[in-house]
Amino acid sequence: HGRNARLVQRLVLKDQIATHAMAHNAPRLDPGLFWLAAELRPGADAEQAEAMIRDEIQRRCDEGPTQEEGERARTQIRSSFLFEVETALDHALKIGRFESAAVGGLSLLDQVLPRYDVLTPESLKETAQRLFAPERWSGVWSLPEETEVRRPSVAANGGVA
C-alpha cells in the first residue's frame, strides 16, 4: 500500500494511466481471492492498464521483493494490525473475523505478526510464482456503458496477446 507500492509507482506515478491502484487479500478458512484494482484516468486504455498490471505481477514473480520492500511491508502490516483496534467494537470485530474466517480462529491472533517476521525475499518470490501463475488469473473490467472494447486474450506467459 502507499506511494511506494509497485502498482502505484507504475500506473499512477510513472505512466499516469490510473488515479488509484491497490491490492487486497485477507486470511480466511477456504482459499480466497487476492485482487488488484486500478481506477483509470478518463480516456485511459483498459487493455494497456491490464497489460501493465500483468507485467508488474510477472516482474514480482521473476525478481521477488527487495529486502527494503520486505521490511517496509512488514512495518505496514505490523502498524495496520496493531492500530486497527482503537475501540471495544474494533476489538470485537477483529476477534469475530478471526474466529469465523481464519484457520486457527482466535488463537491465530498471537501468531500473525511472528509469521510475517520469518518471511524472506526468496520465500515470497517462490510463493508469488506459485500463486500468481498466469493460468490462475481472472480479469474483470468495469467500464462506462458507452465504452466499446475488444477483450484481449492472455498468452501462457501471462502477457496480453
Side-chain angles (χ1 to χ4, degrees):
H1 296 288
R3 285 181 66 85
N4 290 322
R6 295 253 181 137
L7 287 178
V8 171
Q9 285 286 315
R10 172 87 183 264
L11 277 68
V12 177
L13 300 175
K14 179 182 172 220
D15 293 316
Q16 298 183 357
I17 193 170
T19 58
H20 178 74
M22 62 153 315
H24 180 74
N25 187 36
R28 52 187 65 77
L29 288 171
D30 295 319
L33 182 67
F34 183 93
W35 54 277
L36 307 165
E39 184 175 312
L40 303 184
R41 291 184 181 278
D45 185 322
E47 290 180 46
Q48 181 184 16
E50 182 176 341
M52 288 176 175
I53 290 170
R54 288 179 180 276
D55 180 59
E56 284 302 314
I57 296 306
Q58 188 60 53
R59 285 183 49 221
R60 169 65 62 230
C61 291
D62 294 343
E63 300 169 10
T66 65
Q67 190 69 35
E68 179 185 330
E69 287 172 324
E71 291 302 320
R72 188 172 52 247
R74 267 191 281 283
T75 299
Q76 287 178 339
I77 290 166
R78 181 173 299 283
S79 296
S80 174
F81 190 79
L82 295 174
F83 293 117
E84 72 181 351
V85 288
E86 296 181 2
T87 68
L89 177 60
D90 293 337
H91 281 282
L93 291 171
K94 186 175 193 174
I95 289 169
R97 188 175 71 240
F98 274 79
E99 190 60 30
S100 66
V103 175
L106 180 58
S107 66
L108 182 63
L109 280 172
D110 292 335
Q111 301 171 29
V112 170
L113 295 178
R115 286 183 181 192
Y116 285 107
D117 290 339
V118 300
L119 297 175
T120 65
E122 188 57 38
S123 69
L124 292 170
K125 178 181 172 181
E126 291 170 6
T127 301
Q129 289 171 341
R130 183 172 38 86
L131 296 179
F132 300 132
E135 64 273 7
R136 299 183 75 159
W137 279 63
S138 294
V140 177
W141 296 358
S142 176
L143 302 169
E145 189 173 321
E146 66 277 359
T147 304
E148 186 176 318
V149 66
R150 177 192 61 82
R151 188 74 179 127
S153 60
V154 177
N157 67 359
V160 176

